PDB file of all heavy atoms in Angstrom:
ATOM      1  N   ALA L 119      -7.098  10.082  -7.069  1.00 97.00           N
ATOM      2  CA  ALA L 119      -7.429  11.467  -6.731  1.00 97.00           C
ATOM      3  C   ALA L 119      -8.200  11.526  -5.414  1.00 97.00           C
ATOM      4  O   ALA L 119      -7.950  12.398  -4.571  1.00 97.00           O
ATOM      5  CB  ALA L 119      -8.252  12.089  -7.859  1.00 97.00           C
ATOM      6  N   ARG L 120      -9.126  10.601  -5.251  1.00 97.00           N
ATOM      7  CA  ARG L 120      -9.905  10.558  -4.005  1.00 97.00           C
ATOM      8  C   ARG L 120      -9.004  10.247  -2.818  1.00 97.00           C
ATOM      9  O   ARG L 120      -9.139  10.854  -1.740  1.00 97.00           O
ATOM     10  CB  ARG L 120     -11.013   9.506  -4.126  1.00 97.00           C
ATOM     11  CG  ARG L 120     -11.798   9.233  -2.839  1.00 97.00           C
ATOM     12  CD  ARG L 120     -12.533  10.453  -2.366  1.00 97.00           C
ATOM     13  NE  ARG L 120     -13.201  10.212  -1.085  1.00 97.00           N
ATOM     14  CZ  ARG L 120     -13.752  11.153  -0.340  1.00 97.00           C
ATOM     15  NH1 ARG L 120     -13.726  12.420  -0.736  1.00 97.00           N
ATOM     16  NH2 ARG L 120     -14.333  10.860   0.808  1.00 97.00           N
ATOM     17  N   LEU L 121      -8.075   9.329  -2.988  1.00 98.00           N
ATOM     18  CA  LEU L 121      -7.174   8.988  -1.895  1.00 98.00           C
ATOM     19  C   LEU L 121      -6.350  10.196  -1.468  1.00 98.00           C
ATOM     20  O   LEU L 121      -6.146  10.433  -0.278  1.00 98.00           O
ATOM     21  CB  LEU L 121      -6.262   7.827  -2.299  1.00 98.00           C
ATOM     22  CG  LEU L 121      -6.929   6.465  -2.479  1.00 98.00           C
ATOM     23  CD1 LEU L 121      -5.911   5.436  -2.976  1.00 98.00           C
ATOM     24  CD2 LEU L 121      -7.586   5.978  -1.185  1.00 98.00           C
ATOM     25  N   HIS L 122      -5.858  10.949  -2.436  1.00 97.00           N
ATOM     26  CA  HIS L 122      -5.068  12.123  -2.064  1.00 97.00           C
ATOM     27  C   HIS L 122      -5.931  13.166  -1.362  1.00 97.00           C
ATOM     28  O   HIS L 122      -5.488  13.800  -0.394  1.00 97.00           O
ATOM     29  CB  HIS L 122      -4.396  12.742  -3.286  1.00 97.00           C
ATOM     30  CG  HIS L 122      -3.455  13.845  -2.919  1.00 97.00           C
ATOM     31  ND1 HIS L 122      -3.624  15.155  -3.296  1.00 97.00           N
ATOM     32  CD2 HIS L 122      -2.331  13.831  -2.137  1.00 97.00           C
ATOM     33  CE1 HIS L 122      -2.657  15.895  -2.787  1.00 97.00           C
ATOM     34  NE2 HIS L 122      -1.856  15.121  -2.088  1.00 97.00           N
ATOM     35  N   LEU L 123      -7.159  13.327  -1.812  1.00 96.00           N
ATOM     36  CA  LEU L 123      -8.075  14.259  -1.159  1.00 96.00           C
ATOM     37  C   LEU L 123      -8.315  13.851   0.290  1.00 96.00           C
ATOM     38  O   LEU L 123      -8.289  14.689   1.200  1.00 96.00           O
ATOM     39  CB  LEU L 123      -9.396  14.283  -1.927  1.00 96.00           C
ATOM     40  CG  LEU L 123     -10.460  15.266  -1.434  1.00 96.00           C
ATOM     41  CD1 LEU L 123      -9.998  16.700  -1.625  1.00 96.00           C
ATOM     42  CD2 LEU L 123     -11.774  15.026  -2.168  1.00 96.00           C
ATOM     43  N   VAL L 124      -8.512  12.550   0.519  1.00 96.00           N
ATOM     44  CA  VAL L 124      -8.741  12.044   1.872  1.00 96.00           C
ATOM     45  C   VAL L 124      -7.491  12.228   2.734  1.00 96.00           C
ATOM     46  O   VAL L 124      -7.572  12.625   3.897  1.00 96.00           O
ATOM     47  CB  VAL L 124      -9.157  10.562   1.824  1.00 96.00           C
ATOM     48  CG1 VAL L 124      -9.113   9.920   3.208  1.00 96.00           C
ATOM     49  CG2 VAL L 124     -10.554  10.432   1.226  1.00 96.00           C
ATOM     50  N   ALA L 125      -6.335  11.951   2.162  1.00 96.00           N
ATOM     51  CA  ALA L 125      -5.089  12.081   2.928  1.00 96.00           C
ATOM     52  C   ALA L 125      -4.816  13.522   3.300  1.00 96.00           C
ATOM     53  O   ALA L 125      -4.483  13.833   4.449  1.00 96.00           O
ATOM     54  CB  ALA L 125      -3.920  11.520   2.120  1.00 96.00           C
ATOM     55  N   ALA L 126      -4.953  14.423   2.347  1.00 93.00           N
ATOM     56  CA  ALA L 126      -4.619  15.820   2.595  1.00 93.00           C
ATOM     57  C   ALA L 126      -5.633  16.505   3.498  1.00 93.00           C
ATOM     58  O   ALA L 126      -5.282  17.406   4.263  1.00 93.00           O
ATOM     59  CB  ALA L 126      -4.505  16.562   1.267  1.00 93.00           C
ATOM     60  N   ALA L 127      -6.887  16.086   3.405  1.00 87.00           N
ATOM     61  CA  ALA L 127      -7.951  16.603   4.283  1.00 87.00           C
ATOM     62  C   ALA L 127      -8.055  18.124   4.254  1.00 87.00           C
ATOM     63  O   ALA L 127      -8.296  18.754   5.276  1.00 87.00           O
ATOM     64  CB  ALA L 127      -7.743  16.117   5.717  1.00 87.00           C
ATOM     65  N   ASP L 128      -7.838  18.712   3.089  1.00 82.00           N
ATOM     66  CA  ASP L 128      -8.086  20.143   2.943  1.00 82.00           C
ATOM     67  C   ASP L 128      -8.518  20.420   1.509  1.00 82.00           C
ATOM     68  O   ASP L 128      -8.552  19.512   0.680  1.00 82.00           O
ATOM     69  CB  ASP L 128      -6.871  20.985   3.327  1.00 82.00           C
ATOM     70  CG  ASP L 128      -5.682  20.763   2.405  1.00 82.00           C
ATOM     71  OD1 ASP L 128      -5.871  20.723   1.177  1.00 82.00           O
ATOM     72  OD2 ASP L 128      -4.547  20.631   2.914  1.00 82.00           O
ATOM     73  N   ALA L 129      -8.863  21.621   1.242  1.00 64.00           N
ATOM     74  CA  ALA L 129      -9.405  21.966  -0.068  1.00 64.00           C
ATOM     75  C   ALA L 129      -8.443  22.817  -0.874  1.00 64.00           C
ATOM     76  O   ALA L 129      -8.851  23.624  -1.709  1.00 64.00           O
ATOM     77  CB  ALA L 129     -10.739  22.697   0.100  1.00 64.00           C
ATOM     78  N   GLY L 130      -7.151  22.655  -0.635  1.00 83.00           N
ATOM     79  CA  GLY L 130      -6.160  23.425  -1.366  1.00 83.00           C
ATOM     80  C   GLY L 130      -6.181  23.125  -2.852  1.00 83.00           C
ATOM     81  O   GLY L 130      -6.655  22.069  -3.293  1.00 83.00           O
TER      82      GLY L 130
END
Side-chain angles (χ1 to χ4, degrees):
R120 173 63 184 170
L121 291 176
H122 187 244
L123 183 66
V124 168
D128 65 44

